[in-house]
Amino acid sequence: MSKAKWMGISKVRENIAASSSEEVTASYLDTISKSKINGYVTINEGAIARAQDIDNGKEGKGHDGVLAGVPIAIKDNISTKGIQTTCSSKILQGYVPPYNAHVIERLLDAGAVILGKTNMDEFAMGTSTESSHYGTTLNPWDHERVPGGSSGGSAAVVAAGEAPISLGSDTGGSVRCPAAFCGVVGLKPTYGGISRYGLISYANSLEQIGPIATNVSDIATIMDVIGGHDLRDSTSIRQEIAYQDSLVDDVSGLKIGVPDEYFAEGIDEGVEKSVWAAIQKFEDMGATWEKVSMPHTKYALPAYYVTAMSEASSNLARFDGTRYGHVEQGENWHVMASRTRAKGFGEEVKRRILLGTYALSAGYHDKYYLKALKVRTLVKQDFDKALSNVDVLMAPTMPAPAFKIGEKIEDPLALYLTDVNTVPINLAGVPSISMPCGLVDGLPVGLQIIGKHFDESTIMRAAYSFEQNTDHLTKRPAGVE
Amino acid sequence: MVYHNPDGVMIGLEIHVQLNKLNTKMFCGCSTKYHDDEPNTHVCPVCLGLPGSLPVINERAVESAMKIGLALNCDIVPQTQFHRKNYFYPDLPKGFQTTQYDFPIASEGKVVIEGEDGEHVIGITRAHMEEDPGRLVHIGSIDKSKGTMIDYNRSGMALIEIVSEPDMRSPKEARRFLDKLRNIIDYLDVCDTTLEGAMRFDANVSIGGGSRAEVKNISSHKGAERALLFEIVRQKNLLRRGGTVVQETRHFDEARGVTISLRTKEQEHDYRYFPEPDLVPMRVADRTAKVVETLPELPDAKRERFTKEYGMADMHAKALTSEIRIADYYEEVAAKVDAKICTPWVADVLKGELNYRDLTIESYTVDDMVEIIGMVTQDKITEKSAVEVIRTILDSGGSAGDIVKEKGLIKVEDDVVSTAVAEVIRENEAAVVDYRGGKEQSLNFLVGQVMKKTRGRADAREAREMVLESLNK
Ligand SMILES: [Zn+2]
């Protein structure tokens, strides 16, 4: 059958019109079956039947929706009714949710066909997808390198032509990092922009579901489907954003802020050059830029990890083998639950649960958890201040291109440090899009465009203009057309 | 009289009130009417704590909480917040309980009870919202159980935890406080207090300013009194033998009536409270005034109104307002019969008979009450017969009219009584002579003979007067 291809939603819909969703879906499943990158944990056995329903115009299946028949890959921490959802953890092996996440309901209403569930760092805790219980996903650009994380599978399958679009989730960069490493586009919306109902929590106060695609327009199409208020998520906010309308090729007068702190010591020279070249390009297109100061950036990383681990220690308490997932035997409930957790969670997850438990414990609560909250307020103020003078901020998504598999996994601290440019955005809750802005030694570099709360329109307009006036998004990994 | 509290007893109570009158649970849409249903049939992703589910606050639960807070004379916090209380237990599907910590919805209230030495004020520290865990059902006895089953129907039910100051000085005062509290909850109509698990209690007890022991697993007002009595004796004995009371948590074994140590202070959980990230802080300040408007008349206010409106003694007003159902019952009766007349019939007679039989007010209808009072006021039956009718209805049912007929309780006409009086005086000359000679007891004998002749249907008071009249002729 056909070779792996980059295809945007409009091309996929053309193909469906010319043949059928069943054929298009089958072609993706065929590509996936020959894949070497291990991007999926679970393939949706019902994908073909679902595509047929769309083809047959079956009522109530979304055959007239904007994503009618369009295949999509879903990160394995988003609840899908009838499809195993593991968070790439052993502890959820065999767990088949009885309900759909809000975003899944929306996607199905719009006619999307779920191809399968994508690999990730276990419970979204990581930057490389190496902590998955189901093996590492390989970077399609270089199979010796990581795809980034934690939504490594979601970005890699899009880059490898194994899905046209996907959903990830971004707690501290988990959409943007793999999008940058895999040379695709990924959006972390404003906190509250998409319902988290059905997203298996790692750090509730930080994370958002986000789309990954091969072009900016597709991000808008997906966001129009999944974004907006939902009563089932009390943190989701009533704020309508017209994503399609923001796809305008015009940045004249756009004021860009460039925070020095995001080009800190240790940044890869090639990355720095590519990002500055992108900013230069924006200037050529009619935008202006100025340097802005975000003095609390250096405290963001520890504040992020303390907050995320604290919330995680509580969020992951429910996995005790009592109701679902993996279970170990024991002479009483406490032994059973302890063994299940000891055997079911991987090293990184256990490390974060323990550190989070510690940070919330009596005597340490004020020193760590409360202090992290205070730092978070300061980081937010940095953004408020910087974004009061400029429309968007631009910076490298990751300080370096994709690293080698195994290079950092034994050194958690080195791995945490790679999140330095992504976590402040989650602490502030602002939106940010990562898109390719060049290659360094054959590896993609991500440009991060950060906006004000619920001002996705502006970062989408900037990203769309950049896409229209450069050829970065035409670059593909070897073997992908 | 002043109560000196010789042992320096200090009792504080924590009361969990389940808001089972709400239609749905605290954070999800599941029905609360599970009491007669199969286990695990009133559950959803949220109350099962399935991965990815999120809580949504039940606004009516918040209103109920505010009502309770206001009824307990508490301040309502302008902005309230939920926290997570983290601990592992099989009945806790999320591994934490969503509860309130430093911003409880209500705090600093008070309740006045009938204390050891008259009115006594019990401080209310706080009242906060939280969710109920599931219910564990042990197969066989708890110590030899082969397994435990979990029913999550109860999981996520809205609870209000009310915490009192350690202001009670005796188990009796604790019992009175609980009675008063239940009465207030009934008045507010936020909880069916008769359902299983509707109200549960923990108590903390100290004596002579020493360390306090917390007693858990108390499920009834009587149980509370027993548990406290035991605990006070235990602590006193311990001190007398030269020991010291340690701060600990104890379990009340209802069957044996004893408390057993569960864990000491060192073994206490560290609950690692932190704000629930899935629920944003909630402003309630602007809703308080509206909730105040919806508050019903509470027991103390009703008691005062009853004395004024119906001209009854405070003792009667207290008895009638001690339960909302009795107060409502009384007002229905008083709307149809003269209040002055019906007050003792409801407050003394009926309440007494119900209490004796451990029955509720529903056992005797308003219509029956109105009918029987009517018969008495129309002089058709004697007061004694009326009590008999009430007893008969409570014991074996039936209507007042039928019972009066069957038992031949219709009061005998005066001429029948006067004939009987004449006969008795004629037949008992000796007694008449004795009476006239100053022997007072002879009068009782003669009246007794009249009653005997009329087979009790005569009014004893009237018969006595008529005998006296004849004798003095
Ligand atoms: Zn439920």
Side-chain angles (χ1 to χ4, degrees), chain B residues 413-428:
Chain B
E413 297 298 328
D414 277 1
D415 53 338
V416 178
V417 182
S418 40
T419 312
V421 170
E423 278 175 27
V424 165
I425 287 184
R426 204 168 52 235
E427 290 161 11
N428 297 282

Side-chain angles (χ1 to χ4, degrees), chain A residues 271-285:
Chain A
V271 168
E272 191 170 9
K273 268 188 191 157
S274 299
V275 172
W276 273 113
I279 294 166
Q280 193 60 54
K281 179 70 190 172
F282 273 100
E283 195 174 21
D284 296 346
M285 288 154 58

Side-chain angles (χ1 to χ4, degrees), chain A residues 95 98-99 196-200 204 231-235 314-315 317-318 322-324 333 357 360-362 365 369, chain B residues 45 48-56 84 86 88-90 93-96 150 152 270 272-275 277-279:
Chain A
Y95 169 60
Y99 80 104
R196 289 184 293 112
Y197 188 78
L199 170 67
I200 300 177
N204 334 41
L231 281 172
R232 292 170 298 183
D233 175 1
S234 306
T235 64
S314 172
N315 288 328
R318 70 189 64 196
T322 306
R323 290 160 298 273
Y324 43 78
W333 185 83
T357 303
L360 285 174
S361 296
H365 183 275
Y369 179 75
Chain B
L48 280 177
L50 290 187
S53 63
L54 298 173
V56 176
R84 290 184 179 184
N86 295 285
F88 289 98
Y89 211 64
K94 294 179 291 184
F96 60 83
I150 316 174
Y152 290 104
D270 175 0
R272 295 176 276 113
Y273 284 98
F274 74 102
D278 290 330
L279 294 170

Side-chain angles (χ1 to χ4, degrees), chain A residues 163-361:
Chain A
I165 51 176
S166 68
L167 288 189
S169 69
D170 192 314
T171 311
S174 285
V175 161
R176 291 161 289 151
C177 159
F181 280 7
C182 294
V184 289
V185 188
L187 172 71
K188 186 212 84 83
T190 306
Y191 187 79
I194 302 180
S195 169
R196 289 184 293 112
Y197 188 78
L199 170 67
I200 300 177
S201 299
Y202 154 33
N204 334 41
S205 75
L206 297 160
E207 60 209 9
Q208 280 287 285
I209 290 169
I212 295 172
T214 57
N215 61 78
V216 177
S217 308
D218 285 2
I219 297 287
T221 304
I222 303 167
M223 284 306 295
D224 277 332
V225 171
I226 64 173
H229 182 250
D230 171 27
L231 281 172
R232 292 170 298 183
D233 175 1
S234 306
T235 64
S236 91
I237 293 171
R238 282 180 203 281
Q239 184 104 25
E240 292 304 321
I241 297 167
Y243 282 94
Q244 290 299 332
D245 298 347
S246 59
L247 301 176
V248 179
D249 179 8
D250 179 11
V251 290
S252 51
L254 183 79
K255 285 163 86 179
I256 300 165
V258 183
D260 257 341
E261 291 82 355
Y262 285 64
F263 296 81
E265 212 183 300
I267 187 170
D268 178 274
E269 210 176 303
V271 168
E272 191 170 9
K273 268 188 191 157
S274 299
V275 172
W276 273 113
I279 294 166
Q280 193 60 54
K281 179 70 190 172
F282 273 100
E283 195 174 21
D284 296 346
M285 288 154 58
T288 58
W289 68 267
E290 62 186 83
K291 289 213 172 179
V292 294
S293 169
M294 307 191 74
H296 298 99
T297 303
K298 58 178 174 290
Y299 307 116
L301 200 73
Y304 165 81
Y305 274 101
V306 169
T307 305
M309 291 173 182
S310 299
E311 291 179 11
S313 71
S314 172
N315 288 328
L316 271 61
R318 70 189 64 196
F319 305 106
D320 56 20
T322 306
R323 290 160 298 273
Y324 43 78
H326 179 78
V327 59
E328 296 281 334
Q329 296 307 312
E331 57 268 31
N332 61 46
W333 185 83
H334 285 277
V335 174
M336 182 271 285
S338 302
R339 277 190 197 149
T340 299
R341 291 169 67 78
K343 298 247 171 88
F345 288 135
E347 284 306 307
E348 184 58 29
V349 172
K350 279 190 259 191
R351 177 169 20 249
R352 294 196 191 191
I353 289 174
L354 287 174
L355 288 171
T357 303
Y358 182 80
L360 285 174
S361 296

Side-chain angles (χ1 to χ4, degrees), chain B residues 25 27-31 42-48 152-153 155-156:
Chain B
K25 295 184 181 180
F27 298 118
C28 65
C30 286
S31 159
H42 291 249
V43 291
C44 73
V46 177
C47 57
L48 280 177
Y152 290 104
N153 280 350
S155 172

Side-chain angles (χ1 to χ4, degrees), chain B residues 154-436:
Chain B
R154 196 179 77 176
S155 172
M157 287 289 286
L159 289 183
I160 305 298
E161 181 176 324
I162 300 163
V163 182
S164 88
E165 292 291 314
D167 289 341
M168 285 149 277
R169 301 162 297 178
S170 67
K172 190 169 101 189
E173 286 191 344
R175 172 101 191 251
R176 294 250 171 93
F177 173 69
L178 291 177
D179 288 344
K180 178 86 181 242
L181 198 63
R182 178 164 62 194
N183 193 22
I184 291 170
I185 300 295
D186 285 338
Y187 269 63
L188 293 173
D189 198 29
V190 292
C191 167
D192 180 349
T193 54
T194 64
L195 284 178
E196 193 216 332
M199 283 179 87
R200 284 162 272 157
F201 321 98
D202 300 331
N204 55 70
V205 198
S206 67
I207 62 175
S211 293
R212 66 201 174 98
E214 191 176 0
V215 184
K216 292 202 171 280
N217 189 44
I218 305 170
S219 58
S220 70
H221 296 201
K222 268 183 206 154
E225 202 171 359
R226 282 174 60 217
L228 290 167
L229 281 169
F230 176 88
E231 186 54 27
I232 290 164
V233 171
R234 184 191 71 85
Q235 292 189 15
K236 273 164 79 176
N237 285 345
L238 195 61
L239 292 176
R240 207 177 41 228
R241 280 188 247 113
T244 44
V245 177
V246 292
Q247 192 176 328
E248 62 179 346
T249 303
R250 301 179 68 84
H251 175 93
F252 179 54
D253 184 332
E254 185 123 36
R256 291 196 287 152
V258 299
T259 67
I260 306 148
S261 181
L262 269 187
R263 52 181 182 263
T264 59
K265 193 187 169 197
E266 289 69 37
Q267 298 165 302
E268 281 297 332
H269 296 295
D270 175 0
Y271 291 118
R272 295 176 276 113
Y273 284 98
F274 74 102
E276 168 57 270
D278 290 330
L279 294 170
V280 288
M282 180 178 37
R283 230 189 122 64
V284 292
D286 30 354
R287 289 173 23 196
T288 311
K290 236 181 155 179
V291 176
V292 169
E293 277 174 32
T294 67
L295 277 185
E297 184 184 35
L298 292 166
D300 290 348
K302 203 181 280 278
R303 178 169 160 186
E304 210 181 313
R305 176 168 68 80
F306 274 21
T307 58
K308 285 186 187 141
E309 190 174 330
Y310 301 111
M312 64 176 74
D314 183 58
M315 173 194 76
H316 279 146
K318 190 183 151 203
L320 290 172
T321 56
S322 67
E323 263 185 63
I324 179 78
R325 292 174 301 173
I326 293 176
D328 290 346
Y329 181 96
Y330 170 77
E331 294 209 87
E332 271 190 66
V333 176
K336 295 175 179 162
V337 205
D338 184 342
K340 279 239 169 64
I341 295 170
C342 73
T343 298
W345 280 103
V346 180
D348 297 331
V349 180
L350 182 59
K351 255 202 101 181
E353 297 295 334
L354 291 172
N355 195 31
Y356 176 73
R357 289 167 178 77
D358 196 22
L359 290 173
T360 59
I361 194 82
E362 285 78 17
S363 312
Y364 198 77
T365 68
V366 169
D367 289 345
D368 279 340
M369 196 73 226
V370 171
E371 190 179 359
I372 209 80
I373 295 173
M375 286 180 179
V376 174
T377 52
Q378 288 157 30
D379 238 8
K380 283 188 187 155
I381 59 171
T382 63
E383 290 187 0
K384 189 168 156 250
S385 300
V387 172
E388 196 181 334
V389 173
I390 292 172
R391 286 178 179 162
T392 309
I393 291 179
L394 289 177
D395 289 337
S396 36
S399 80
D402 292 347
I403 293 166
V404 166
K405 264 184 221 142
E406 277 164 32
K407 299 207 168 193
L409 296 176
I410 294 289
K411 221 161 120 180
V412 181
E413 297 298 328
D414 277 1
D415 53 338
V416 178
V417 182
S418 40
T419 312
V421 170
E423 278 175 27
V424 165
I425 287 184
R426 204 168 52 235
E427 290 161 11
N428 297 282
E429 231 170 291
V432 172
V433 171
D434 282 353
Y435 173 77
R436 289 194 173 133

